[in-house]
Amino acid sequence: MTAKGEFQGFPKEMFEFFMAISFNNNTEFFEENRKLYEQKVKAPLYALARDLTPMALHVDPEMEVRPSKVVSRLRRDTRFSANKLPYRDHMWLSWRPAGRPKSQCFGLYLEIGLEGLSYGVGWYDADPRRAKAIRRLLRQQKERFLPIATDPALAQAFQLHASWYKRLQAPEDLPEALLPYYRAKGFYLEHAEPLDKRHLQADFLREVEANLLRLKAIYGFFRDLSLEGIDEEIW
């Protein structure tokens, strides 16, 4: 599977814009530099979204792939954010099944900013009920999840990030490899790397695409995680 070739790498001007907006985080500065944003930030990210569409649809044929839905907005919704600055100094792409609220989705993402490039899979919020639902699913389908959790290709490309319940007791028959997932309050798998000259060219995208495709199995396992009846769960 190869990308279409619209994306030609992240322009240097993208990072210059992110740096500038972090120091001049106001509407006046943005409007004065809107053309730069449109050409050197938004356009390359839309091209990236289009080139990664085959990957996203291979992971899930029902994935939302329209660039306007995949690429984040630069302007922050300050109504629901502790950070009241109007603009972000980074952006991201996110893929989830079309028509589903973000909060309910175990989705793929790719983020780019001054601190580097990161991508992976995870949930968009921390719902305490979801941890119970994960534990229920793992108890019911531990044999199915074990080869996914122990896949060396997954461990090679991604790191598990989570906060854990320290005193939670796991079933005695639960394989040790599943314990980090079972005890997690929430988790995501991420590959992160600092920016370098590779990211100014398009070739690195092949590695990104290949790594995101490695997430297909774990994405499929948690894609339809149900919270139905979870309030009655005692675990």
Side-chain angles (χ1 to χ4, degrees):
M1 181 178 298
T2 57
K4 295 179 181 178
E6 287 188 51
F7 179 70
Q8 298 301 310
F10 297 117
K12 290 182 179 179
E13 294 89 344
M14 174 185 286
F15 305 106
E16 293 171 357
F17 176 85
F18 285 151
M19 178 67 74
I21 199 75
S22 69
F23 286 102
N24 304 276
N25 206 312
N26 57 74
T27 302
E28 181 180 7
F29 176 85
F30 175 77
E31 292 299 336
E32 291 175 353
N33 293 273
R34 178 184 286 273
K35 186 175 181 180
L36 175 64
Y37 164 74
E38 295 283 348
Q39 295 179 350
K40 300 300 182 179
V41 180
K42 184 177 179 180
L45 291 176
Y46 269 52
L48 178 61
R50 287 189 289 268
D51 280 1
L52 288 175
T53 289
M55 174 281 301
L57 292 177
H58 184 77
V59 172
D60 184 350
E62 297 183 9
M63 203 78 88
E64 174 63 81
V65 294
R66 290 174 292 174
S68 62
K69 299 294 185 180
V70 170
V71 178
S72 69
R73 295 180 179 180
L74 183 72
R75 190 172 182 92
R76 181 181 286 110
D77 188 345
T78 56
R79 296 175 301 168
F80 308 105
S81 174
N83 189 336
K84 298 303 180 182
L85 293 174
Y87 299 100
R88 302 182 178 93
D89 60 359
H90 62 281
M91 290 183 69
W92 65 84
L93 284 65
S94 61
W95 296 270
R96 65 186 188 279
R100 288 196 185 184
K102 282 187 178 181
S103 61
Q104 298 178 11
C105 296
F106 189 61
L108 303 180
Y109 67 90
L110 181 150
E111 183 173 322
I112 183 69
L114 295 172
E115 295 184 357
L117 175 75
S118 60
Y119 52 86
V121 66
W123 278 281
Y124 294 94
D125 68 354
D127 186 337
R129 298 179 302 160
R130 187 175 291 117
K132 288 186 177 182
I134 291 171
R135 294 197 292 274
R136 178 174 64 186
L137 181 62
L138 292 179
R139 292 195 303 271
Q140 294 172 346
Q141 300 193 36
K142 55 181 178 292
E143 292 84 4
R144 177 188 165 201
F145 188 61
L146 184 58
I148 297 173
T150 57
D151 179 6
L154 191 67
Q156 179 181 359
F158 296 94
Q159 182 177 356
L160 176 66
H161 296 267
S163 57
W164 287 275
Y165 293 106
K166 296 181 179 179
R167 299 181 180 180
L168 181 69
Q169 295 296 317
E172 293 183 358
D173 62 344
L174 193 74
E176 184 176 356
L178 274 57
L179 291 178
Y181 296 91
Y182 192 85
R183 291 176 173 156
K185 298 177 181 179
F187 68 85
Y188 61 99
L189 291 162
E190 183 173 85
H191 173 96
E193 58 190 46
L195 297 175
D196 59 37
K197 293 181 179 179
R198 293 185 310 120
H199 301 113
L200 303 181
Q201 307 294 327
D203 290 347
F204 83 93
L205 191 57
R206 298 174 184 174
E207 178 183 334
V208 172
E209 183 182 51
N211 282 338
L212 286 172
L213 286 171
R214 293 178 179 181
L215 296 170
K216 181 177 181 179
I218 194 167
Y219 169 87
F221 185 82
F222 289 109
R223 179 189 189 275
D224 298 313
L225 183 72
S226 174
L227 302 185
E228 184 178 354
I230 205 64
D231 291 330
E232 287 74 43
E233 287 280 324
I234 61 174
W235 290 82

